[in-house]
Amino acid sequence: MAAHLSYGRVNLNVLREAVRRELREFLDKCAGSKAIVWDEYLTGPFGLIAQYSLLKEHEVEKMFTLKGSRLPAADVKNIIFVVRPRLELMDIIAENVLSEDRRGPARDFHILFVPRRSLLCEQRLKDLGVLGSFIHREEYSLDLIPFDGDLLSMESEGAFKECYLESDQTSLYHAAKGLMTLQALYGTIPQIFGKGECARVRNGRRVPPDPMFCFQQVANMMIRMKREFTGSQNSIFPVFDNLLLLDRNVDLLTPLATQLTYEGLIDEIYGIQNSYVKLPPEKFAPKKQGDGGKDLPTEAKKLQLNSAEELYAEIRDKNFNAVGSVLSKKAKVISAAFEERHNAKTVGEIKQFVSQLPHMQAARGSLANHTSIAELIKDVTTSEDFFDKLTVEQEFMSGIDTDKVNSYIEDCIAQKHPLIKVLRLVCLQSVCNSGLKQKVLDYYKREILQTYGYEHILTLYNLEKAGLLKPQTGGRNTYPTVRKTLRLWMDDVNEQNPTDISYVYSGYAPLSVRLAQLLSRPGWRSIEEVLRILPGPHFEERQPLPTGLQKKPGRWRYRICHRHH
């Protein structure tokens, strides 16, 4: 059992175990030895719910990554393809199956679609002549994945692009299904609040929002599924009081700004994937005297980051400027603990010290790792360029010089800094100015295309289509009203002992967090004007609870918090 999933207010091990049980049941249908062929994208999410030990218990002997041509040799009875419902993957699977048929002896093939079966994919397999080769064709509902005691994720990186660029609303259905699973395990959520839309695109242009394609649709789907569901969730006393659904386009600013917490900076600089990070190995090499720095490791250091690690749980959400003092105090505590061995005189005292030794050694190893990570991050955050970029971001977010061409962005383009860095800054300026003046937007576009290549015309077009980069219409900048009403910018921020969420960006309070805070107290009626300015409708739905399960006044309120990554 993953103990860290039960540390929060809600025991998410219940969800993890339900997902694992479904996987075990499918594996047991395929009697005999097995080889799993993985869609590489799914290996990370599956690793969070089913380690190899669980698969091995159910006769999984080999695992391969899905690739073209022939599969590696494996003396097994069953070959199971675990894939997303993508047409291009069906072509590879067909190639694998046909090559195995020619190789002999006969194998039993199975396919597990994650998270849904697809008639289009099955038709493609039929057209390629291999659909009949599969004994089991099933789906595995891996919608919400428990990452930590307070974090669930769909790991659907392309959801925003699918909704806003491709008019594909499938991710909304998956969100509704995942939330239904949550209610089946933890009870009906009495109140659902939401804000935002998923605007449709027709003939390559944006059209007015349709209420049927907004996040209210997720709530509507949940309510309809609840009526159709015949399980036992109605007999479970509800754990959650409220559900808040926010469309990403309600708060485009937050993901564009540079994160300044310890975990946020690790993600900004190195990228956290499925709770793992890969780091430069030099800082983690054991120091040996007289080796002159020779034979340094070349393979990246891979570390898992979650609240199962005591030190990481303590520092992950701290502003990076507050991390150094915590590591220093922890080093003194650990050093003092090891010094206690000199005071152990009796057999009982020595035995007690030895029993604590594994935990102390783990704590020392953890401290060494995070000290090395902090040093790597500090090398970046103390650079002049990082300071200049952060200064420009904070000027934009506080409403300074958002309506004209920025000299730092000009310099970044001229020096051909990474395009993603330039685009984030330009989009941030656009969001903080409710769109750019046409001449400013045209200037940025021209400079980007001349420097980075005209193939990025499509990139700029897609950013405009998604609302991240746009001309200012109507000549009115509404961001100052939103900023002041929601207190998105705080001048006095205590990074060491914070009392406000603005510490995570050293001044900027994430808009989505402010909306959640105001919904909790005093309610959204106090910010009706701002809600009308922000994209999309806002709504409230109530789900009736069966008699006997209504909450009593003053009962403890549970909530799952979503970390910003």
Side-chain angles (χ1 to χ4, degrees):
M1 182 173 286
H4 65 286
L5 295 181
S6 59
Y7 290 164
R9 290 181 173 182
V10 178
N11 182 5
L12 295 183
N13 263 317
V14 175
L15 175 59
R16 181 174 182 264
E17 185 51 40
V19 175
R20 285 161 63 91
R21 182 168 59 249
E22 187 180 345
L23 178 61
R24 288 196 297 264
E25 289 171 358
F26 175 79
L27 292 175
D28 289 342
K29 288 181 183 178
C30 311
S33 58
K34 306 169 186 69
I36 295 181
V37 183
W38 293 100
D39 174 352
E40 191 170 15
Y41 181 87
L42 295 175
T43 55
F46 265 86
L48 294 168
I49 55 104
Q51 290 73 28
Y52 181 61
S53 57
L54 180 141
L55 302 176
K56 196 173 181 180
E57 288 172 7
H58 295 266
E59 299 183 90
V60 175
E61 298 180 2
K62 298 283 185 179
M63 294 196 292
F64 309 114
T65 301
L66 181 64
K67 294 178 181 177
S69 70
R70 299 176 66 175
L71 291 169
D75 184 18
V76 293
K77 184 176 184 294
N78 300 278
I79 294 180
I80 304 171
F81 294 92
V82 181
V83 294
R84 292 166 294 163
R86 301 289 177 91
L87 292 177
E88 64 272 18
L89 298 180
M90 300 305 106
D91 297 339
I92 301 174
I93 290 172
E95 192 177 346
N96 288 169
V97 171
L98 292 172
S99 65
E100 284 297 307
D101 286 343
R102 288 191 292 269
R103 177 188 289 177
R107 311 285 182 87
D108 290 342
F109 294 102
H110 317 272
I111 188 166
L112 189 62
F113 290 105
V114 181
R116 298 284 171 265
R117 281 179 72 173
S118 164
L119 293 176
L120 284 175
C121 288
E122 293 189 14
Q123 183 60 47
R124 175 65 67 88
L125 292 173
K126 184 177 181 180
D127 294 342
L128 294 168
V130 297
L131 184 64
S133 301
F134 294 97
I135 295 175
H136 292 106
R137 302 190 304 272
E138 298 191 14
E139 66 182 28
Y140 181 65
S141 304
L142 191 64
D143 292 309
L144 288 175
I145 304 166
F147 268 59
D148 221 312
D150 59 356
L151 176 62
L152 300 172
S153 174
M154 289 175 61
E155 286 304 274
S156 181
E157 292 180 355
F160 184 76
K161 182 183 79 168
E162 289 163 7
C163 287
Y164 281 87
L165 298 185
E166 301 169 0
S167 300
D168 181 355
Q169 310 295 325
T170 307
S171 58
L172 300 186
Y173 174 77
H174 292 164
K177 284 289 287 183
L179 290 168
M180 279 304 299
T181 300
L182 209 63
Q183 291 189 106
L185 295 170
Y186 298 99
T188 300
I189 302 173
Q191 294 190 99
I192 304 172
F193 301 90
K195 172 67 179 170
E197 89 214 358
C198 287
R200 288 186 294 174
V201 176
R202 198 180 287 143
N203 298 327
R205 61 185 180 86
R206 290 175 68 90
V207 298
D210 183 331
M212 290 302 290
F213 286 96
C214 65
F215 253 113
Q216 188 166 6
Q217 183 69 358
V218 176
N220 292 341
M221 283 190 281
M222 286 174 57
I223 293 167
R224 186 171 67 249
M225 291 173 187
K226 182 172 178 288
R227 285 198 300 264
E228 297 168 355
F229 188 68
T230 57
S232 60
Q233 86 277 20
N234 285 337
S235 65
I236 300 173
F237 200 90
V239 170
F240 302 104
D241 290 326
N242 303 306
L243 169 65
L244 173 58
L245 297 170
L246 287 177
D247 194 325
R248 176 74 276 167
N249 88 325
V250 172
D251 179 14
L252 291 174
L253 196 162
T254 299
L256 293 170
T258 299
Q259 306 169 73
L260 295 176
T261 60
Y262 178 63
E263 182 175 50
L265 280 166
I266 296 174
D267 188 37
E268 288 279 351
I269 299 168
Y270 298 107
I272 300 174
Q273 293 291 331
N274 307 124
S275 80
Y276 282 90
V277 63
K278 291 183 178 180
L279 299 157
E282 300 82 14
K283 286 279 187 183
F284 301 89
K287 294 184 174 72
K288 296 180 182 178
Q289 292 183 348
D291 64 0
K294 297 179 182 178
D295 301 325
L296 288 174
T298 56
E299 188 175 342
K301 176 76 171 180
K302 187 175 182 180
L303 293 174
Q304 186 172 25
L305 302 174
N306 60 40
S307 295
E309 187 180 1
E310 184 181 333
L311 178 57
Y312 186 65
E314 182 178 352
I315 64 176
R316 65 188 303 174
D317 292 330
K318 289 188 177 295
N319 186 289
F320 184 66
N321 289 332
V323 169
S325 59
V326 175
L327 294 178
S328 178
K329 289 176 184 176
K330 189 67 67 173
K332 291 176 182 176
V333 170
I334 292 172
S335 178
F338 274 97
E339 287 300 314
E340 285 294 317
R341 69 184 187 277
H342 300 302
N343 299 327
K345 305 296 183 184
T346 67
V347 172
E349 289 172 343
I350 294 171
K351 185 177 179 181
Q352 183 180 6
F353 177 82
V354 170
S355 67
Q356 295 172 347
L357 201 54
H359 176 74
M360 291 162 57
Q361 289 172 331
R364 184 162 63 180
S366 174
L367 176 65
N369 283 337
H370 289 291
T371 301
S372 296
I373 295 173
E375 289 173 353
L376 288 168
I377 293 174
K378 190 176 180 182
D379 289 343
V380 175
T381 58
T382 54
S383 68
E384 184 178 348
D385 183 66
F386 184 88
F387 177 79
D388 291 343
K389 179 168 77 78
L390 193 59
T391 300
V392 169
E393 287 185 7
Q394 295 190 339
E395 285 176 351
F396 288 160
M397 291 187 289
S398 59
I400 299 172
D401 293 337
T402 59
D403 60 346
K404 59 186 180 183
V405 173
N406 183 272
S407 59
Y408 176 74
I409 295 177
E410 282 187 292
D411 291 342
C412 288
I413 296 172
Q415 297 169 32
K416 209 169 183 179
H417 284 204
L419 179 59
I420 186 67
K421 172 185 173 181
V422 172
L423 293 176
R424 277 180 71 169
L425 287 169
V426 173
C427 290
L428 182 67
Q429 183 178 354
S430 175
V431 172
C432 292
N433 199 60
S434 299
L436 298 171
K437 290 181 179 178
Q438 191 65 55
K439 64 178 182 179
V440 175
L441 179 59
D442 290 343
Y443 176 81
Y444 280 143
K445 284 182 178 179
R446 185 170 60 251
E447 292 297 303
I448 288 170
L449 294 176
Q450 289 177 352
T451 303
Y452 296 94
Y454 285 89
E455 65 270 23
H456 291 294
I457 288 176
L458 183 59
T459 304
L460 296 172
Y461 170 76
N462 284 338
L463 288 172
E464 284 195 63
K465 196 169 159 183
L468 284 159
L469 184 63
K470 62 183 181 180
Q472 192 178 86
T473 55
R476 180 168 177 251
N477 180 5
T478 58
Y479 175 70
T481 302
V482 176
R483 187 186 74 242
K484 290 173 185 175
T485 306
L486 300 184
R487 298 186 305 118
L488 297 186
W489 184 260
M490 308 292 285
D491 289 315
D492 300 319
V493 179
N494 187 335
E495 296 174 342
Q496 301 294 326
N497 299 294
T499 56
D500 185 79
I501 193 63
S502 56
Y503 84 93
V504 298
Y505 288 95
S506 295
Y508 166 68
L511 191 156
S512 46
V513 175
R514 282 287 193 247
L515 288 176
Q517 289 175 331
L518 288 164
L519 177 63
S520 177
R521 187 182 300 125
W524 276 357
R525 289 179 182 174
S526 63
I527 55 166
E528 285 286 348
E529 181 186 355
V530 166
L531 289 176
R532 284 193 293 271
I533 292 172
L534 294 173
H538 57 281
F539 59 89
E540 176 181 352
E541 297 281 354
R542 293 182 181 274
Q543 296 193 97
L545 298 177
T547 305
L549 291 184
Q550 280 83 2
K551 299 217 172 187
K552 296 179 181 179
R555 184 179 172 272
W556 188 279
R557 304 185 72 185
Y558 288 86
R559 176 179 297 111
I560 289 187
C561 305
H562 190 292
R563 299 184 193 281
H564 170 64
H565 285 290

